[in-house]
Amino acid sequence: MSETILSIRDLKVNYGGIEAVKGISFDVPKGDIVTLIGANGAGKSSTLRAIVGLVKPKSGVIAFEGENIAGKDTTNIVSRGITLVPEGRRIFPDLTVYENLRVGAYMRSDDIAPDVNWVYELFPRLKERSWQPGGTLSGGEQQMLAVGRALMSRPKLMMMDEPSLGLAPLIVRDIFSIIKEINKRGVTILLIEQNANMALSTADTGYVLETGRITMSGAGKELLVNEAVKAAYLGT
Amino acid sequence: MKKKSKLELWIAFGAIALIYIAVAVLEQTVDANHIIFTVLKKGAIYSLVAVSMNLLNGFTGLFSLGQAGFMLIGAYTYSIFTMPVEVKMTEQVYKYYASAIHFDTGIFIGLVCAGLAAALFAALIGLPVLRLKSDYLAIATIGFAEIIRAIFQWDVLGPVTNGANVMREYLDLTDVKIPFTDIPFPPTLYVFLAAGVCIALIVLLINSSYGRAFKAIRDDEIAAEAMGINLFKHKEMSFIISSFFAGVSGALLAMYQYTVQAAQFKSAMTYEILLIVVIGGIGSVSGSCIASFLYIAASEWWLRGLDMGKFLGIESASLFRSGFRRFVFSIIIMLIVLFFSKGLMGDKEISFGGLIRRFNRNKPAKTAKGGGIDA
């Protein structure tokens, strides 16, 4: 068993007056790719938002590197090494690509040049468009920028909210191969996806979330062949 | 922001220096009563307050309409601080009240205190108000400015603010001396220097990492928060700094006008400044400056004849009478908004590199990438 970087116990989150997450528990082992899959409204995004502190959880424990961070503010949580690639990318449209990356490194005061170079290495397209406003990029490029921006904080844990949303299948494949590459560099990844096929074949561990509860869990490859998962999420 | 080449930066500095030299020369050669000095002085003061509003509205995305209120605080703080004690003790200004202030300061300290007073009020008001979004923030800040105006005219505060009466006899532009001498400092140049230094500070702030955080908040609050940017702290910072400079510009306005009265700082004044910001381009510092000089020149100088019976050599007392200027001015503004929907400059800045490249368009451009204008 490897070390656990993030451990969630009995997390409950209210969102917009309803209980979106109804007491879930799961672990993210250090260095792994873990995915939460589930339909719309299953509570996936609310879980991520609670972890990074954008919404305050109602109850439960979010232990990051052994310390409970539930209810702490986002600035504090980000400085501990958690970052979120938000749903719908949410890059800063009027800032240039380079400025977007610099904002990603906002919490850091050390030299960011090596990280910029790494991001440009991962996504050569971003280097070409370095002085272009983020809003002029294509959807796929914006997703690359969102991932690159998140990497700029030198995260230990990168959480991604639906990175494949609205992207062409070919670009989705690119993004996932880059996710694997980032993971190889030692960044733990927590991924939530509706594209269960892609997510489960990439992830070491998967959890299935249904209406705020975890109903199934297992190795990514196992879930991929599980009959119930197949019927509900893979459409086969 | 695209990295400017050293040459471009030097050209920009050179151009700014030229403007200052031109102002200095103009002041030595042209009759001091010429209308151009009104335009230059008021234009520079309005440039500063427009840029300070742009910092908030254009760069941080906070739609605030409290500028006149902060200018009022600045103007009054300045006039109260710099009015000589002898004047305060006699009945020259404080006719109906015994002035409660028993000290006076110099011009520089007065200007800084004007900014600090406005900043202090902003810090207090920001606590509740900055939690509001868009329109609600605008309503709350307008309300604040109106309340401030009423409070400053309140009898009970008479010993400090002189009630609703005019403040005068404080140190104005004619009292500025060249340091260590008794020679008067050229007034227009002084306003240009004071406003210029303040605008330069704002530009430095906008290009710093704080400025980037402001712009990130403007572009997408949730994403900015997810990057670890503390939304409230940065909004409060932007609000305080913007108000500081609005306070300084209020003080400069008081210096320029020789007299100041709370009744002058109506919300109409804020709309005037907002108009300048919109015409210049929301998110463009140079746009705000250009628009402010154009606005002041048009309203104080070029269109004056429309009110006085004579315009462009045509004399018509029946057509060109009081109020016609505003009518024509409104049409001009509508045309500008119609044809420059993002303002004269959009969110771009004047870039000399861009101008140079435009002239050299036929030659193979070495640095074609990135264009000439940078955001």
Side-chain angles (χ1 to χ4, degrees):
Chain A
M1 267 305 264
S2 62
E3 196 186 334
T4 304
I5 189 165
L6 182 76
S7 150
I8 310 266
R9 290 291 169 267
D10 201 25
L11 178 72
K12 289 182 182 163
V13 183
N14 276 6
Y15 194 66
I18 47 163
E19 196 170 55
V21 179
K22 298 169 179 161
I24 61 169
S25 303
F26 66 92
D27 289 324
V28 179
K30 195 170 185 171
D32 275 12
I33 300 179
V34 173
T35 184
L36 298 178
I37 60 169
N40 269 335
K44 307 184 302 284
S45 290
S46 297
T47 307
L48 291 200
R49 293 167 69 93
I51 294 172
V52 80
L54 288 172
V55 291
K56 304 286 171 241
K58 192 176 141 207
S59 66
V61 174
I62 303 169
F64 180 68
E65 297 185 312
E67 210 176 319
N68 187 11
I69 56 166
K72 290 217 183 330
D73 59 31
T74 309
T75 308
N76 181 315
I77 293 171
V78 172
S79 66
R80 285 164 190 264
I82 300 183
T83 185
L84 172 69
V85 182
E87 182 178 354
R89 312 184 255 282
R90 288 186 174 270
I91 52 125
F92 303 116
D94 292 332
L95 299 189
T96 63
V97 168
Y98 179 66
E99 281 180 309
N100 266 278
L101 295 180
R102 291 202 61 177
V103 172
Y106 189 72
M107 301 300 293
R108 290 173 46 191
S109 49
D110 53 338
D111 183 24
I112 61 163
D115 303 77
V116 174
N117 286 335
W118 181 38
V119 170
Y120 284 166
E121 219 173 276
L122 282 173
F123 307 105
R125 289 278 274 285
L126 294 184
K127 189 176 187 178
E128 283 166 34
R129 308 197 184 290
S130 168
W131 301 114
Q132 222 168 293
T136 62
L137 303 183
S138 73
E141 290 164 346
Q142 290 193 7
Q143 185 64 60
M144 294 173 191
L145 179 56
V147 174
R149 185 181 63 180
L151 287 176
M152 290 302 296
S153 68
R154 252 187 217 169
K156 295 171 188 156
L157 172 67
M158 181 161 85
M159 305 195 293
M160 306 180 80
D161 195 342
E162 307 263 11
S164 74
L165 196 74
L167 297 182
L170 217 65
I171 296 170
V172 172
R173 211 168 305 156
D174 281 354
I175 296 273
F176 273 88
S177 73
I178 283 167
I179 292 173
K180 277 188 204 157
E181 207 176 314
I182 293 167
N183 179 246
K184 278 195 201 116
R185 290 273 195 120
V187 181
T188 310
I189 288 168
L190 175 58
L191 178 72
I192 66 174
E193 260 300 344
Q194 288 192 53
N195 186 340
N197 195 355
M198 209 67 213
L200 289 175
S201 49
T202 312
D204 298 299
T205 318
Y207 293 89
V208 179
L209 211 57
E210 268 172 50
T211 56
R213 288 196 177 83
I214 289 178
T215 52
M216 251 181 282
S217 65
K221 304 275 182 308
E222 279 169 32
L223 288 177
L224 208 51
V225 294
N226 181 300
E227 289 306 319
V229 174
K230 265 184 170 173
Y233 300 106
L234 301 175
T236 48
Chain B
M1 187 178 151
K2 186 182 174 297
K3 281 257 183 316
K4 281 189 180 176
S5 73
K6 264 205 175 122
L7 178 72
E8 279 174 48
L9 219 56
W10 281 113
I11 295 174
F13 281 134
I16 291 168
L18 270 182
I19 292 174
Y20 277 88
I21 293 169
V23 168
V25 170
L26 209 61
E27 214 161 18
Q28 299 308 319
T29 50
V30 179
D31 173 33
N33 289 321
H34 194 279
I35 183 79
I36 184 131
F37 295 114
T38 305
V39 171
L40 287 176
K41 279 182 245 179
K42 217 174 162 190
I45 294 166
Y46 270 64
S47 294
L48 173 56
V49 66
V51 171
S52 84
M53 191 177 202
N54 215 337
L55 170 67
L56 208 53
N57 292 23
F59 290 97
T60 321
L62 295 170
F63 190 50
S64 153
L65 293 176
Q67 234 59 9
F70 294 114
M71 285 176 83
L72 186 157
I73 294 170
Y76 264 73
T77 307
Y78 175 82
S79 63
I80 293 166
F81 273 41
T82 61
M83 192 186 296
V85 173
E86 315 82 88
V87 178
K88 282 177 191 151
M89 292 307 113
T90 58
E91 290 190 348
Q92 265 178 285
V93 178
Y94 285 86
K95 281 200 181 72
Y96 309 100
Y97 311 93
S99 175
I101 313 289
H102 298 279
F103 66 91
D104 54 31
T105 67
I107 289 172
F108 181 74
I109 295 173
L111 284 175
V112 172
C113 289
L116 289 178
L120 179 72
F121 271 86
L124 293 174
I125 297 150
L127 291 176
V129 159
L130 288 179
R131 303 194 187 275
L132 304 172
K133 301 233 167 191
S134 59
D135 313 359
Y136 300 103
L137 177 64
I139 294 166
T141 45
I142 273 197
F144 148 76
E146 292 295 304
I147 291 168
I148 283 287
R149 190 159 58 86
I151 288 178
F152 271 74
Q153 298 184 61
W154 189 22
D155 284 356
V156 176
L157 291 179
V160 179
T161 63
N162 202 16
N165 306 305
V166 174
M167 296 292 273
R168 52 192 178 81
E169 304 292 332
Y170 50 81
L171 300 179
D172 56 44
L173 280 179
T174 55
D175 296 310
V176 186
K177 302 278 187 286
I178 294 172
F180 312 116
T181 64
D182 224 16
I183 308 161
F185 200 97
T188 310
L189 189 63
Y190 183 79
V191 175
F192 262 69
L193 282 175
V197 167
C198 292
I199 291 173
L201 289 174
I202 297 176
V203 169
L204 285 178
L205 175 76
I206 288 169
N207 289 327
S208 72
S209 73
Y210 288 116
R212 242 188 325 274
F214 293 164
K215 287 183 258 183
I217 291 172
R218 169 196 69 190
D219 276 11
D220 193 323
E221 278 198 9
I222 292 175
E225 197 179 3
M227 297 297 111
I229 294 171
N230 184 326
L231 293 185
F232 181 73
K233 198 181 109 189
H234 285 83
K235 285 180 180 178
E236 177 90 349
M237 194 197 293
S238 174
F239 191 55
I240 290 174
I241 294 171
S242 162
S243 305
F244 177 90
F245 289 112
V248 173
S249 71
L252 287 171
L253 190 68
M255 285 179 87
Y256 154 75
Q257 288 182 163
Y258 305 109
T259 67
V260 72
Q261 202 172 10
Q264 174 195 359
F265 296 89
K266 295 200 175 76
S267 46
M269 193 172 201
T270 305
Y271 300 144
E272 226 175 20
I273 301 157
L274 180 66
L275 200 63
I276 290 173
V277 172
V278 171
I279 290 175
I282 293 174
S284 168
V285 172
S286 45
S288 287
C289 296
I290 294 168
S292 136
F293 282 104
L294 287 178
Y295 180 91
I296 299 293
S299 68
E300 302 274 340
W301 184 11
W302 299 333
L303 301 180
R304 265 285 169 209
L306 292 173
D307 269 7
M308 318 268 245
K310 202 173 167 190
F311 186 65
L312 295 175
I314 306 163
E315 249 180 277
S316 164
S318 56
L319 183 61
F320 297 153
R321 59 182 177 203
S322 197
F324 192 68
R325 179 172 56 122
R326 298 211 157 262
F327 174 75
V328 173
F329 202 34
S330 315
I331 292 176
I332 292 176
I333 288 166
M334 275 193 262
L335 289 177
I336 290 178
V337 174
L338 215 59
F339 290 106
F340 297 90
S341 58
K342 294 187 83 184
L344 295 174
M345 299 292 297
D347 57 0
K348 308 287 189 286
E349 299 293 352
I350 281 193
S351 152
F352 295 95
L355 292 176
I356 295 167
R357 275 192 281 280
R358 198 158 294 174
F359 286 125
N360 292 346
R361 194 164 268 177
N362 297 332
K363 298 177 192 167
K366 246 193 213 165
T367 47
K369 200 173 68 177
I373 296 170
D374 55 15

